[in-house]
Amino acid sequence: MSFPLLRLFAPLFFPRKQSGRPCGIRRFRPVFSPVPFLGRPLLAVLVLAVCAGIQPAAAQPAIKVNISGDIDEQQLQNIRSRLSLARLPDNETPSEALFKRLYGKARQEIAKALEPFGYYTPEISVDQQWQGGVRQVDIKVDKGLPVTVEEVNIALSGPGEHDERLHEAIRRFPVRQGEVLDHQVYENSKDALVTAALENGYHRAMFRSHRVEISRKKRSALVRLDLDTGPRFLVGPITFDTNIIDHDLLRRISPIREGDPFSPKALTRLRQSLFNTGYFKTVDLDYDLDHTLADKVPIKVALTPNLAHKYGIGLGYGTDTGARGTLEYTNRYVNRFGHQLDMQLQPAQRKSNFGGTYSIPIGNPSKDRIALTGKYETEEFDNTETETLNATISHDHFREWGEYSTFVQFLDERYSTGPEATNQDSLVVPGFKGSVVWADDRITTKRGLRISATVIGSEENLLADTAFLQPTLRAKVIYSFFDQWRLLGRGEIGTTLVDDIYALPPTLRYYAGGDQSVRGYGYKKIGPIDANGNVIGGKDLLTYSVELERMLFDAWSGAIFYDSGTATNDFSTMTLHSGAGIGVRWNGVFGQIRLDLAKALDEEGTWRIHFSMGADL
């Protein structure tokens, strides 16, 4: 349609030159001729925009196919994908001969589309009529009764015919006697059986025969499979092509041993375990199934070392800490025994620290270590200043479901609150900490739960100024619903068994308020106060938060939240402080960046901005 319009408006942009003016005829002048340089291009743009905006009317389908009956969505989709009449292009009108041919085989195609779901005797009616110039085909489907499995016969042959693990896989075969035959389940079950053989070292397992015999009259099916396992391969000697790490340590890191079933999953676990140590840039495995020693497959591991020294620098901001910088240094290879050193300097407006951790792998090196940690930290909040030296030795355990540690730390702290004189406390504090995580994804979680617990204490007669016991429990839960919505809840409770809480330094007292506590209040602004109005911390803690988040577009989401909690010296007389607000989130590969605007509900004041980042769990 645009070409006729362009011809109509062409004289406005490209007037013909005239050698003379016929009598009685005035030459047409375009409206924009007083501004020739600007007018014609501008009018051209306007007309092209109008022409571009004109779209042809949507073509009516040549044939409209209506399918009804007792079928579910998956069955309907399979019928439409097989039905030739439903696959005709909307803008093509088939010839009468083609239509009759496709119409004639519609029943057969629909019947075939229902067979994978176990329906072999459907009743199908197909009618056609003209309506409003469109040929309409009406299809009604009655699936009838399904075919049920009468017998499942699975035979094993070859060297693995007596393998108990394969017989257990057969006992778990999902296609069972008396159930409706579903061909997709059948095919998936066959694949799972071959995979089970593969994971047990039978790399050449294959079906000698696989048949499903259907009796339409009896509406029954017989499933007959014969799996030939072929020879079984086992893990042979594992050798490592590297000199930077002791080979005995690498063998302890390896999750597989000589004599284990040789399988793709075992190789993946070996590669991933070595890569996760951080020692190596690449991990390549070399093996040959055609050259084995008594069915044992030697594995050669080629390792490319990572850079020995790693440096990092960063800038950040948190409303609890203020502007901060970070300098990091890691030595991946302190020696051949896998010892590592991590050091960090983090200067900030209100909380700065400098420290490092020396790690020694023990036991299963990928799961257990001894860590020696030292840290010097300074902090300022609400007229309180602390200067802390902390030295810790810990035994750390890392598992798929979480982690836990036992530790002993030496704590030396100088502190002052308001105009009071500076105090100093020294304690040896043994403790335990651990966490358990269930989540679909720890970084971007749709459904998950994290529970963490810490128990610390000291004994006055064992290098400590004060005896105390302090357990703390934290939990966070995330639940997604309606695809775009997430509900997040978190809570924290703790108490201190001590004669005088103020005989302990501020780092061992409880405070509330801030980004990870009660938003709407400043960092550590909630707690018992002294005569001068300074927050000095308490012996008990209770906080909780409820947040509703909705995806907006791309990686962005919005949230509303309600937080409440307190730090107190007596649960029986506590007063909860609450805050509420709104926030915006940006979801990245490392987690979320969160920007919140919150208002304290229990006191007059302005809105407070909170900024934080990190993984969901």
Side-chain angles (χ1 to χ4, degrees):
M1 294 181 64
S2 57
F3 291 108
L5 284 173
L6 285 175
R7 285 197 295 269
L8 176 64
F9 288 96
L12 299 179
F13 328 124
F14 311 106
R16 297 181 179 179
K17 292 183 179 180
Q18 299 181 8
S19 54
R21 184 179 302 173
C23 181
I25 300 179
R26 300 180 60 186
R27 183 162 62 99
F28 175 81
R29 287 186 178 273
V31 176
F32 290 95
S33 59
V35 192
F37 181 75
L38 178 62
R40 290 172 181 171
L42 180 58
L43 183 58
V45 171
L46 292 174
V47 173
L48 287 174
V50 170
C51 295
I54 299 174
Q55 299 292 337
Q60 265 192 325
I63 298 176
K64 184 177 180 181
V65 179
N66 298 320
I67 304 173
S68 61
D70 59 336
I71 52 177
D72 60 31
E73 183 62 28
Q74 189 177 7
Q75 293 163 354
L76 175 61
Q77 292 301 323
N78 202 46
I79 289 173
R80 286 194 172 276
S81 67
R82 281 180 170 267
L83 187 61
S84 301
L85 282 173
R87 300 201 309 269
L88 287 172
D90 287 345
N91 57 353
E92 285 188 18
T93 301
S95 65
E96 193 65 24
L98 176 60
F99 173 78
K100 287 182 178 179
R101 182 166 61 85
L102 299 183
Y103 184 82
K105 64 177 184 176
R107 287 182 178 85
Q108 181 182 356
E109 290 176 337
I110 296 169
K112 283 291 183 183
L114 290 172
E115 287 181 3
F117 304 97
Y119 296 92
Y120 282 79
T121 56
E123 294 184 5
I124 303 165
S125 66
V126 183
D127 296 308
Q128 62 151 322
Q129 59 181 323
W130 287 93
Q131 192 172 53
V134 176
R135 178 172 258 157
Q136 183 168 298
V137 178
D138 295 313
I139 300 172
K140 293 182 180 180
V141 179
D142 181 357
K143 295 182 300 188
L145 294 175
V147 166
T148 57
V149 178
E150 182 179 338
E151 181 184 341
V152 179
N153 191 330
I154 304 175
L156 283 178
S157 58
E161 62 179 327
H162 300 298
D163 192 309
E164 180 56 33
R165 281 170 290 191
L166 295 185
H167 282 280
E168 177 61 27
I170 290 174
R171 286 191 287 271
R172 296 196 307 266
F173 196 73
V175 178
R176 303 181 188 280
Q177 184 178 359
E179 295 183 353
V180 174
L181 175 65
D182 187 315
H183 283 267
Q184 187 62 53
V185 174
Y186 166 72
E187 293 296 334
N188 292 342
S189 301
K190 283 171 50 187
D191 293 343
L193 195 56
V194 173
T195 299
L198 192 62
E199 293 305 323
N200 282 284
Y202 301 97
H203 270 254
R204 292 173 179 160
M206 61 182 296
F207 287 105
R208 282 184 175 179
S209 64
H210 49 94
R211 298 178 59 192
V212 178
E213 299 175 6
I214 305 293
S215 171
R216 297 175 186 270
K217 182 178 180 181
K218 297 166 59 176
R219 288 194 298 274
S220 64
L222 303 179
V223 177
R224 305 186 188 279
L225 301 173
D226 185 358
L227 179 65
D228 184 352
T229 66
R232 190 185 193 200
F233 297 95
L234 303 176
V235 174
I238 303 174
T239 56
F240 302 94
D241 180 19
T242 182
N243 293 319
I244 63 169
I245 298 294
D246 182 73
H247 288 196
D248 288 336
L249 174 64
L250 295 179
R251 276 187 281 272
R252 286 191 286 129
I253 292 173
S254 170
I256 61 174
R257 300 287 183 267
E258 186 174 347
D260 288 348
F262 184 88
S263 70
K265 186 178 291 185
L267 297 178
T268 300
R269 288 167 55 213
L270 173 60
R271 183 183 291 109
Q272 197 64 44
S273 295
L274 292 170
F275 186 78
N276 287 343
T277 62
Y279 300 142
F280 309 109
K281 184 184 298 182
T282 62
V283 178
D284 296 314
L285 307 181
D286 184 26
Y287 58 89
D288 188 350
L289 291 176
D290 294 326
H291 294 83
T292 63
L293 303 173
D295 289 334
K296 287 189 175 182
V297 184
I299 302 174
K300 296 180 180 179
V301 185
L303 301 163
T304 304
N306 244 324
L307 295 175
H309 304 284
K310 174 185 173 183
Y311 303 91
I313 184 171
L315 296 174
Y317 179 84
T319 44
D320 288 350
T321 60
R324 61 176 182 265
T326 302
L327 293 173
E328 294 179 329
Y329 165 75
T330 299
N331 186 338
R332 293 188 174 100
Y333 315 113
V334 175
N335 53 40
R336 294 183 65 249
F337 303 103
H339 296 196
Q340 293 184 327
L341 175 65
D342 295 283
M343 301 189 70
Q344 184 182 78
L345 171 64
Q346 190 175 69
Q349 285 180 278
R350 292 185 287 276
K351 187 176 183 178
S352 302
N353 66 75
F354 172 70
T357 299
Y358 189 89
S359 303
I360 305 171
I362 62 171
N364 184 337
S366 62
K367 295 183 178 181
D368 305 284
R369 73 173 186 178
I370 296 293
L372 307 174
T373 303
K375 180 186 288 187
Y376 172 76
E377 185 174 81
T378 62
E379 184 175 14
E380 297 180 11
F381 61 91
D382 196 53
N383 295 325
T384 297
E385 297 181 5
T386 64
E387 185 178 343
T388 306
L389 179 63
N390 189 324
T392 304
I393 179 171
S394 65
H395 186 187
D396 303 330
H397 309 265
F398 304 95
R399 301 294 185 266
E400 293 181 359
W401 46 262
E403 58 192 61
Y404 62 98
S405 302
T406 54
F407 60 88
V408 176
Q409 63 175 324
F410 170 74
L411 181 66
D412 183 80
E413 185 166 326
R414 291 167 55 89
Y415 59 94
S416 62
T417 303
E420 294 183 4
T422 299
N423 297 307
Q424 183 169 0
D425 290 324
S426 298
L427 303 94
V428 173
V429 182
F432 168 87
K433 62 180 179 180
S435 62
V436 179
V437 180
W438 299 273
D440 53 359
D441 187 321
R442 294 194 188 188
I443 304 299
T444 306
T445 308
K446 291 187 176 180
R447 294 187 180 183
L449 171 66
R450 181 185 183 94
I451 300 175
S452 305
T454 304
V455 180
I456 59 174
S458 68
E459 174 54 49
E460 193 169 0
N461 297 325
L462 296 176
L463 302 176
D465 296 334
T466 305
F468 79 100
L469 180 66
Q470 187 180 80
T472 307
L473 181 66
R474 303 174 184 87
K476 184 174 182 179
V477 62
I478 299 176
Y479 180 78
S480 297
F481 58 98
F482 298 142
D483 294 334
Q484 304 296 320
W485 294 85
R486 291 201 312 171
L487 183 65
L488 299 88
R490 59 176 167 82
E492 183 176 11
I493 186 170
T495 188
T496 310
L497 305 177
V498 65
D499 291 335
D500 180 10
I501 186 63
Y502 301 111
L504 295 176
T507 55
L508 296 178
R509 305 175 197 168
Y510 287 120
Y511 298 82
D515 302 338
Q516 306 300 323
S517 182
V518 182
R519 287 164 288 187
Y521 291 85
Y523 178 60
K524 293 187 175 181
K525 288 287 188 179
I526 299 175
I529 59 176
D530 62 13
N532 298 315
N534 300 310
V535 179
I536 55 177
K539 63 187 292 290
D540 302 317
L541 175 71
L542 175 64
T543 66
Y544 67 89
S545 172
V546 178
E547 182 171 313
L548 184 62
E549 179 183 326
R550 189 190 190 284
M551 291 299 300
L552 300 177
F553 55 88
D554 296 332
W556 293 90
S557 57
I560 58 173
F561 56 85
Y562 175 84
D563 300 346
S564 188
T566 190
T568 181
N569 286 326
D570 190 347
F571 275 133
S572 64
T573 60
M574 69 177 181
T575 300
L576 295 178
H577 299 265
S578 301
I582 59 175
V584 63
R585 282 92 177 88
W586 184 82
N587 300 279
V589 294
F590 57 86
Q592 279 191 335
I593 295 178
R594 310 176 186 94
L595 181 63
D596 294 323
L597 183 63
K599 175 74 168 62
L601 304 179
D602 307 291
E603 60 184 41
E604 294 184 1
T606 60
W607 290 78
R608 180 176 291 273
I609 293 176
H610 296 272
F611 179 82
S612 61
M613 65 178 66
D616 285 335
L617 289 178

